[in-house]
Amino acid sequence: MHRAVEGFEGVERYEGFRTAVPESEGWEAWLAYADVLTAAGDARGEAIRCEHRCETGGGDAQALASAYGRVERQWGLDGLRADGSWRFTWSRGFIDKAAFRLATEGRSRRGALVERLLADLPHTGSDDAADPEQWEGALIDVLLSHPASRLLRGLELHLTDYHHSAERAVLALSRQQRPRLATLHFGHGFDLLLALHTTSTGDRVEPAKYLHAAVVPAQAGTALWEALPALRTLELEGAFLFDDVEHATLTHLRTRGAVLSDGSLFAFSTPGLVSLEVEIGPDVHGVVPPNAILDDLEASRYPRLRSLDLSGACFDPDGAGDFVVLAGSSVLPQLEELSIRELVIEDTDAEREPLAVLAELAPRFAHLDLRVWGDVLVEGADEREVDRMLSALGLGQDTDTDTRTDTGTSAG
């Protein structure tokens, strides 16, 4: 069985990439494909045969690296390799996994490289090659627009000049269907959320400008999720990157920061999620979101969610601790694993002692594997009583969890 590689009609140079690609993983079909490529003068044919010899014990890694080096030179990708920002591997004539992080070395030569790449390779739009802050977007664009990247299985994009490159990367990714892309990391690093972001030229970007005006426009974001039917694992990092993630079959999501443009942490359109990990800390102003935001964790939104990791999430206890809020969540009964940063119950209700609150709520967590990464503080309670009540949850003095009482000072 074969399928056509679409999206490059009328581009004679890339005719080899429009040759029918084997659907089977069996080598017989791929060796026949390699013969067709070689007959067309495509260096990928010999690289595929060399890869087969290595896999079956008859080749050597150096010969394989040399073969794919010839492929990269033929298709104009050797400059990207030399720049050092991209790291990518090949499998059966296509780029298999790729990771991008802007290299500090070679910056003096990068402008000329970008000009040459934009002249020679497909890309999604016009760039100002005179603007160094647009070079990152161009480097990403030309690799993801290249037909050799169509069958990517894993991609990491660690952005520096994200105010330009995030949208360019999304446009390039969604230019064609990515039928095998299963894992994606996308975003930019930060120390404190909403702090001024330093660009590659030393200028500053104000992340807050994208609140309610996503870094990636809504239409581009929608096109991205539609282009990634095989996506199962997604990691997002940064501030206000997308309006939403709309993906019915995504199963694993990890976020660091406030990646949705409205500042919400759990309002994703991802009903197939099995595991969700959210990391959020104080922003540059010392502000953390209220734990009332946990109310967005609704079973109707996440019917398949089984693992929830909030061990890296810091919330403002808006009247009650996270444990108390989660105890009333509609998603709790279906969870099999839950990690939280701390378990704090204070005297917020004069009619109920904190220990009585724990006694009432603890059985709601007994069905799952609960991990508390920080302190367990129950105001005014005897430590032995706390341990006894939590023993059904696998917590207490015989675990690594720090279980102790608090007799006055708030731990919130």
Side-chain angles (χ1 to χ4, degrees), residues 29-82:
W30 282 94
L31 291 174
Y33 176 65
D35 290 340
V36 173
L37 296 179
T38 298
D42 190 329
R44 294 181 300 139
E46 177 54 31
I48 292 171
R49 283 190 291 272
C50 187
E51 190 173 343
H52 172 253
R53 290 193 294 271
C54 286
E55 187 169 311
T56 56
D60 65 86
Q62 184 58 49
L64 180 60
S66 297
Y68 273 119
R70 290 189 290 274
V71 170
E72 291 173 12
R73 288 191 294 275
Q74 181 178 48
W75 297 113
L77 298 173
D78 52 326
L80 287 177
R81 174 79 71 182

Side-chain angles (χ1 to χ4, degrees), residues 140-409:
I140 294 172
D141 190 351
V142 293
L143 182 71
L144 296 182
S145 292
H146 199 282
S149 73
R150 181 180 181 268
L151 299 185
L152 270 170
R153 291 190 301 121
L155 176 63
E156 297 180 24
L157 296 175
H158 304 271
L159 308 177
T160 299
D161 298 317
Y162 73 92
H163 55 309
H164 292 300
S165 58
E167 183 178 1
R168 293 304 302 274
V170 165
L171 291 174
L173 267 175
S174 56
R175 179 177 187 173
Q176 54 185 319
Q177 285 286 298
R178 310 283 173 166
R180 297 184 182 179
L181 188 61
T183 62
L184 173 64
H185 176 104
F186 185 100
H188 62 87
F190 59 91
D191 293 323
L192 288 174
L193 189 65
L194 303 187
L196 291 175
H197 180 85
T198 304
T199 71
S200 63
T201 64
D203 288 339
R204 300 295 183 91
V205 174
E206 174 60 74
K209 68 182 286 189
Y210 296 107
L211 179 62
H212 302 297
V215 177
V216 177
Q219 185 175 2
T222 298
L224 172 65
W225 311 126
E226 292 176 349
L228 307 179
L231 188 65
R232 296 296 178 267
T233 299
L234 174 64
E235 295 185 5
L236 297 175
E237 180 180 30
F240 316 133
L241 298 173
F242 296 97
D243 285 320
D244 196 0
V245 176
E246 304 166 83
H247 205 289
T249 55
L250 185 72
T251 55
H252 304 282
L253 174 62
R254 181 183 185 275
T255 66
R256 177 174 182 261
V259 299
L260 295 183
S261 62
D262 63 358
S264 60
L265 298 180
F266 305 105
F268 298 95
S269 300
T270 50
L273 276 192
V274 175
S275 70
L276 173 62
E277 180 181 353
V278 173
E279 180 180 338
I280 186 79
D283 65 20
V284 70
H285 307 294
V287 175
V288 294
N291 61 12
I293 202 170
L294 292 167
D295 290 338
D296 288 339
L297 285 167
E298 300 174 351
S300 59
R301 183 188 297 275
Y302 299 115
R304 300 179 181 176
L305 191 65
R306 298 296 180 266
S307 176
L308 177 62
D309 188 345
L310 302 176
S311 60
C314 182
F315 299 108
D316 184 0
D318 188 16
D322 304 347
F323 184 81
V324 176
V325 176
L326 287 167
S329 173
S330 63
V331 81
L332 182 65
Q334 70 192 45
L335 293 180
E336 298 173 358
E337 299 176 341
L338 173 63
S339 295
I340 57 177
R341 181 170 171 267
E342 59 188 11
L343 195 166
V344 177
I345 301 179
E346 298 178 302
D347 186 9
T348 58
D349 187 338
E351 297 181 359
R352 294 196 303 168
E353 292 295 326
L355 187 61
V357 174
L358 178 62
E360 175 190 342
L361 300 183
R364 303 184 190 182
F365 297 82
H367 67 286
L368 52 75
D369 179 10
L370 174 65
R371 299 195 66 186
V372 181
W373 289 84
D375 292 341
V376 176
L377 301 176
V378 181
E379 186 179 9
D382 182 87
E383 182 175 342
R384 291 169 297 179
E385 285 296 303
V386 174
D387 284 337
R388 182 182 63 80
M389 290 183 182
L390 293 179
S391 62
L393 306 178
L395 300 177
Q397 291 180 339
D398 59 342
T399 71
D400 293 333
T401 305
D402 183 6
T403 306
R404 66 178 188 267
T405 59
D406 176 57
T407 57
T409 303

Side-chain angles (χ1 to χ4, degrees), residues 81-150:
R81 174 79 71 182
D83 174 78
S85 301
W86 274 111
R87 297 287 187 270
F88 52 94
T89 61
W90 292 83
S91 178
R92 306 192 185 199
F94 290 88
I95 297 174
D96 187 50
K97 294 183 180 179
F100 182 90
R101 192 186 300 272
L102 194 65
T104 56
E105 302 83 1
R107 187 173 182 271
S108 61
R109 302 183 300 274
R110 191 163 290 142
L113 172 64
V114 166
E115 285 191 21
R116 186 170 73 253
L117 292 173
L118 294 179
D120 293 344
L121 298 179
H123 52 279
T124 60
S126 59
D127 292 270
D128 182 1
D131 180 0
E133 290 185 3
Q134 295 191 43
W135 293 348
E136 174 179 85
L139 295 177
I140 294 172
D141 190 351
V142 293
L143 182 71
L144 296 182
S145 292
H146 199 282
S149 73
R150 181 180 181 268

